[in-house]
Amino acid sequence: MSTGTDRVGRVAPYVAGIVAGAAMLAVGEALAALLRQRTGPVAAVAELVRDLTPAGLVKGFIELVGTADKPILVAIVTVGALALSALAGRWRFGWLVLVGLGVLASVAVLVNPGESGVGAARGALVVPPGLATCVGVACLAVLQDAARAAAREGRDATGATGATGGTGRRRFLVIAGGVALTAVVVGAAGRLAGRSRRTVEAAREALLDRLRATPGEVPAGAQLDVPGVGRWQVPGEQFYRIDTAFAVPLVDPDAWRLRIHGMVEKELELSLADLLDRPATEAWTTLCCVSNPVGGDLIGNAWWTGVRIAPLLAEAGVQAGADAVLQTSEDGWTCGTPLGVLTDDRDAMLAYAMNGEPLPIEHGFPVRVVVPGLYGYVSATKWVVDLEVTTFDAFEAYWTQRGWAPEGPVKTQSRVLVPRDGTRVRAGEVDIAGDAWAQHRGIEKVEVQVDGGPWTTCELGTVPSADTWVQWSTRVSCGPGDHTVVVRATDGDGETQTSVRTDVVPDGASGWHEVRFTAG
Ligand SMILES: Nc1nc2c(c(=O)[nH]1)N[C@H]1C(S)=C(S)[C@@H](COP(=O)(O)O)O[C@H]1N2
Ligand SMILES: [Mo]
């Protein structure tokens, strides 16, 4: 009779750990679904595990289990987390285990290439693992406390006193059962909350064939063969992400409409089907962010497919006196774009495909604006729903209200990507390489200066137009010791980028990028 009580006392700490771990997992997954993130913490850890596993092993595993690889990995991570939580339940400092799991999950979501959020979007990424850890630790404390009471009671029962109250045991079972039940309910609610994202994800997949977008063939000679110089064409999952959306807007492509109105003769309303019926345009355009510091990586280049905006505005009939288009997104973000860049001959478009696929949800699905030559904050509205022809005098857009300039043409910039700052290379002939951009003016020349010596002109990769970045490289001889390399670019108008360093506010950073490395 007493052994039963004793057994409860012995297993209670493990149960406490598992239940606390389950609560932590449920909260993390539910929050990620609520914030409409692409992956929950568990899947992010599974993807991290996959990415850190040698490629050969991963291939063998996929050959073995086929398309079940993801669910299996997720199951392994879940079971692993619960097993560690069970052990944590036995340990006085078991909460450290949960914190460790939380840190692992936070790192996993932050390094996940599919979650390249910056700013609000990036902050939102660590909310699920962070809050989940807090909940897990709190549950563990309460459950361990109850488990200890139950165990004490078990010991007393087997002892000489023979007191068999059982209230501690019952209390533990009630608390553990309650937490477990709540975890199940929260987990189920999370599944439900994730449904809207899965629905839009499915609608996106269904569009794959309807778009007739080509995948984009990188022009010969654009991609330099220097390790570390990066990909000339950036895949959607690796493309930098900037927006104010804490939870990404989920737009049903069938219900999506774009209104073109304001100072026009005739308002237009377009559905996605209307756009797909119109002549498509396809172009390489490099997009970059005004808040990119010198040498920063808030820039990417992709092959965009969509409909040019100029003919649409012509069809609407722009009235005299208009000089701007106020763009609005589904989530209420706004930006103001000079009318001129939307009506001249550049490929300013309503893009519905990126690198031959429907836009990724994070990059504006189903339709966004892409304008060569302007920073994203004044041109590249994702989830766009409204274009109002107006005047700059008549409005203040989202970032203009917050101290940024009303107009934002891209400044000529260049960066050194090889060697990386602070790294060591072999002395001798050293590869120096990077990229440069001045969208819509183009890059004419890139020069580097090593250790304050003369400026050397670099070799440039080919480009299809003036609207993309250019990769450049050169080779210099570097003896053992510390070196610095500075880069500067000259744009298609013959203007060399200024060495004057400015902050990113109000209209983009200027200045030369400098990198230090050691040869030895
Ligand atoms: N709806 C919406 N569109 C937006 C933004 C935003 O916050 N909301 N940010 C803009 C900014 S500042 C930039 S740099 C680009 C980034 O586009 P990307 O995330 O696809 O790289 O989107 C632009 N479009
Ligand atoms: Mo930006």
Side-chain angles (χ1 to χ4, degrees), residues 265-339:
E265 300 304 331
K266 179 182 87 182
E267 271 192 38
L268 294 184
E269 198 185 69
L270 298 160
S271 67
L272 187 57
D274 295 335
L275 280 191
L276 296 179
D277 280 345
R278 286 175 182 257
T281 187
E282 302 201 280
W284 291 104
T285 299
T286 296
L287 210 64
C288 63
C289 184
V290 66
S291 45
N292 195 31
V294 172
D297 52 12
L298 300 179
I299 179 163
N301 182 49
W303 174 248
W304 306 95
T305 308
V307 171
R308 293 191 67 244
I309 295 172
L312 293 174
L313 289 176
E315 198 175 312
V318 173
Q319 291 172 4
D323 66 1
V325 171
L326 176 63
Q327 309 185 28
T328 306
S329 69
E330 198 264 349
D331 62 333
W333 183 82
T334 56
C335 80
T337 311
L339 184 63

Side-chain angles (χ1 to χ4, degrees), residues 445-484:
K445 184 166 74 170
V446 173
E447 301 161 285
V448 294
Q449 183 188 49
V450 179
D451 301 330
W455 287 95
T456 332
T457 302
C458 304
E459 311 247 352
L460 299 185
T462 52
V463 280
S465 76
D467 295 339
T468 73
W469 59 13
V470 181
Q471 297 192 337
W472 56 264
S473 76
T474 189
R475 213 163 237 199
V476 291
S477 142
C478 295
D482 293 341
H483 300 279
T484 61

